[in-house]
Amino acid sequence: MKTIRLRAGKERSLQRRHPWIFESAIAKGSGDSGETVRVESDSGAFLGWAAFSPTSKIRARVWSFDEAQRIDASFFVAAVAASTRARGRFDIQSDGLRLVHGESDGLPGLIVDRYGDTLVAQFLSSGAERWKDVLADALLAQTGLTKLYERSDASSRALEGLPEIKGWLRGGDANAPTDLVLREHDWQLGLSIADGHKTGFYLDQRDSRKKFADYAQRLGFQRVLNCFCYTGGFTVAALAGLQAGGFTGGHVTSIDSSGAALEQARANVALNGLDVAQTTFMDADVNASLRQFLNEGRTFDAIVLDPPKFAPTVAHAERAARAYKDINRLALKLLEPGGVLFTYSCSGGISADLFHKIVAGAGSDAGVDGFITERMGGAPDHPMTIAFPEGEYLKGLVVMRK
Ligand code: SAH
């Protein structure tokens, strides 16, 4: 068994059960890609069993902090079982759910989403890659399913020295469908596990989409703007909410820079028996569109801002903060008094506190005040844990303009 020894003082985060060991924390020792290594403090005390990653800045990720734990197939079977059991206790109104959420489930680098009878996995660290077969078998055994599609085509794989891989890992053949339909709340949403973003869909916004539908149903928005709409989840939510509230004549404008996503979004409106005539889909840049609407004097009763990750890490936070502030300022200006803004950041590098400050700054620049009526986070199957605060990547505010 290989050992890595940390520099003095670098044991503290591990003692708090934080699983990352940065390159700069290591005094000596190494391993092969994904190999299990023993991690010791400067004084030789056991800290954890970790997967080594020779090229990544995160040089090792801890599997277990228990010295008696063996890192073998049964360890991964038990971890997958624990993760699956936890989902049984969370409130998830969908047949699409995140089964394994990396570090938060004790499996750094592994993401697994379930869409009906199909699993989609991303193996994003050397350790997850090393144990891929064991993990795949455990996932199928635990869920009783037969099909697992691999979406290890994320650019972060390069940091781990791993190639991008995409395709059926288990069960699928050439004819197995990769265009699926999931049921979320009372609606159906089509997605592509082969070509969609991440594993195909943003399951983490499930509760926010429901909240948006509830607001539409209660307040009867007439003009809705869904920015960064992807496959139209918030668009369907708005229209379904309006329908449930007995409101007619509302209109939803949805913007995204991906033509394929917009096509899926339009199909999703039709799939739910909602009226496509009540929608406009724009293949455009959100920032430019918001400026254009402002120039045209257009206003909205509800706006969703759900941009991509502007700040993957804290190092990018400052530039990202300016970008967030800019779109929020424009959106607040476009909002009617009494209108609501659902605004999000999915950047790990932007804390909830900082995001609140950014939106406050945007309001002050726009000369607009508002009531913060909700604070939102990721859905419960994208959990954060006490030991891993980085798990809180998605945060949102609902602001009702005064
Ligand atoms: N709200 C969506 C998820 C949004 S993901 C949902 O509920 O599913 C972010 C989206 O922003 C992606 O679809 C991406 O294509 C789009 N995007 C990224 N940059 C953009 C830009 N500058 N203008 C418009 N869309 C953009």
Side-chain angles (χ1 to χ4, degrees):
M1 177 61 63
K2 291 179 188 161
T3 297
I4 58 174
R5 169 116 8 149
L6 302 192
R7 295 182 194 284
K10 294 295 181 186
E11 68 283 356
R12 287 194 201 108
S13 63
L14 275 86
Q15 285 165 341
R16 288 196 302 269
R17 302 195 147 234
H18 189 292
W20 290 354
I21 300 161
F22 286 94
E23 175 194 5
S24 55
I26 298 175
K28 63 173 189 209
S30 75
D32 296 333
S33 179
E35 185 178 0
T36 302
V37 293
R38 178 187 168 92
V39 186
E40 291 181 355
S41 73
D42 169 58
S43 63
F46 172 85
L47 294 170
W49 301 112
F52 197 76
S53 184
T55 64
S56 176
K57 276 216 157 56
I58 305 176
R59 194 50 57 95
R61 292 174 173 82
V62 176
W63 293 126
S64 172
F65 297 94
D66 174 4
E67 190 165 9
Q69 178 67 54
R70 283 175 57 114
I71 308 303
D72 53 13
S74 63
F75 167 79
F76 291 101
V77 169
V80 167
S83 192
T84 308
R85 258 197 321 274
R87 279 15 180 216
R89 294 193 292 269
F90 296 154
D91 179 18
I92 301 169
Q93 303 297 320
S94 175
D95 64 8
L97 62 101
R98 175 147 299 184
L99 217 50
V100 179
H101 188 58
E103 282 76 358
S104 302
D105 286 303
L107 291 167
L110 180 66
I111 297 294
V112 185
D113 288 338
R114 175 179 183 159
Y115 300 110
D117 68 355
T118 304
L119 297 180
V120 186
Q122 296 183 297
F123 299 86
L124 302 175
S125 65
S126 302
E129 177 73 16
R130 178 99 163 199
W131 291 96
K132 187 189 281 183
D133 282 331
V134 167
L135 287 164
D137 291 339
L139 285 160
L140 294 177
Q142 204 43 241
T143 53
L145 301 177
T146 57
K147 283 184 291 180
L148 192 158
Y149 193 84
E150 179 174 8
R151 279 299 301 272
S152 299
D153 56 340
S155 56
S156 62
R157 290 255 303 181
L159 303 176
E160 298 284 312
L162 301 170
E164 296 190 7
I165 300 170
K166 171 168 124 167
W168 289 105
L169 184 60
R170 293 283 188 276
D173 57 36
N175 301 319
T178 52
D179 287 343
L180 309 178
V181 175
L182 81 95
R183 178 197 54 80
E184 177 176 277
H185 310 297
D186 294 331
W187 50 77
Q188 314 253 319
L189 296 163
L191 64 121
S192 166
I193 58 168
D195 300 317
H197 296 174
K198 306 201 292 183
T199 66
F201 190 68
Y202 292 89
L203 291 166
D204 52 0
Q205 287 286 37
R206 179 189 312 118
D207 293 354
S208 277
R209 286 187 286 265
K210 174 76 166 94
K211 184 71 77 181
F212 195 54
D214 291 347
Y215 269 61
Q217 177 172 352
R218 190 160 53 82
L219 299 174
F221 309 135
Q222 284 300 292
R223 285 153 303 161
V224 177
L225 178 60
N226 180 9
C227 299
F228 309 98
C229 70
Y230 189 49
T231 53
F234 281 96
T235 303
V236 168
L239 292 169
L242 290 175
Q243 190 179 61
F247 294 101
T248 53
H251 195 92
V252 185
T253 302
S254 309
I255 310 175
D256 204 278
S257 56
S258 156
L262 288 163
E263 217 171 282
Q264 181 76 261
R266 191 180 281 109
N268 282 337
V269 170
L271 183 64
N272 289 278
L274 299 163
D275 189 357
V276 182
Q278 285 180 272
T279 61
T280 304
F281 292 96
M282 293 172 60
D283 188 343
D285 172 62
V286 163
N287 210 294
S289 305
L290 293 176
R291 284 170 208 281
Q292 179 196 326
F293 295 153
L294 210 55
N295 287 336
E296 293 168 355
R298 284 179 68 173
T299 58
F300 297 91
D301 304 311
I303 300 178
V304 179
L305 283 182
D306 185 20
K309 207 189 290 172
F310 289 160
T313 70
V314 257
H316 307 79
E318 204 175 304
R319 193 156 45 118
R322 280 197 293 278
Y324 283 117
K325 188 174 170 187
D326 213 36
I327 54 172
N328 278 281
R329 178 178 57 80
L330 295 166
L332 284 166
K333 282 189 160 195
L334 289 169
L335 213 54
E336 285 285 346
V340 287
L341 171 65
F342 279 59
T343 183
Y344 297 91
S345 162
C346 61
S347 295
I350 303 274
S351 68
D353 189 39
L354 177 56
F355 186 58
H356 190 154
K357 289 197 177 91
I358 291 168
V359 175
S364 126
D365 283 6
V368 168
D369 198 5
F371 303 105
I372 293 177
T373 56
E374 322 272 350
R375 287 169 178 273
M376 306 297 295
D381 48 336
H382 300 62
M384 53 175 156
T385 59
I386 292 169
F388 189 68
E390 283 90 341
E392 187 190 21
Y393 66 105
L394 179 59
K395 61 282 304 180
L397 293 172
V398 180
V399 183
M400 185 177 286
R401 185 173 171 171
K402 280 193 177 175

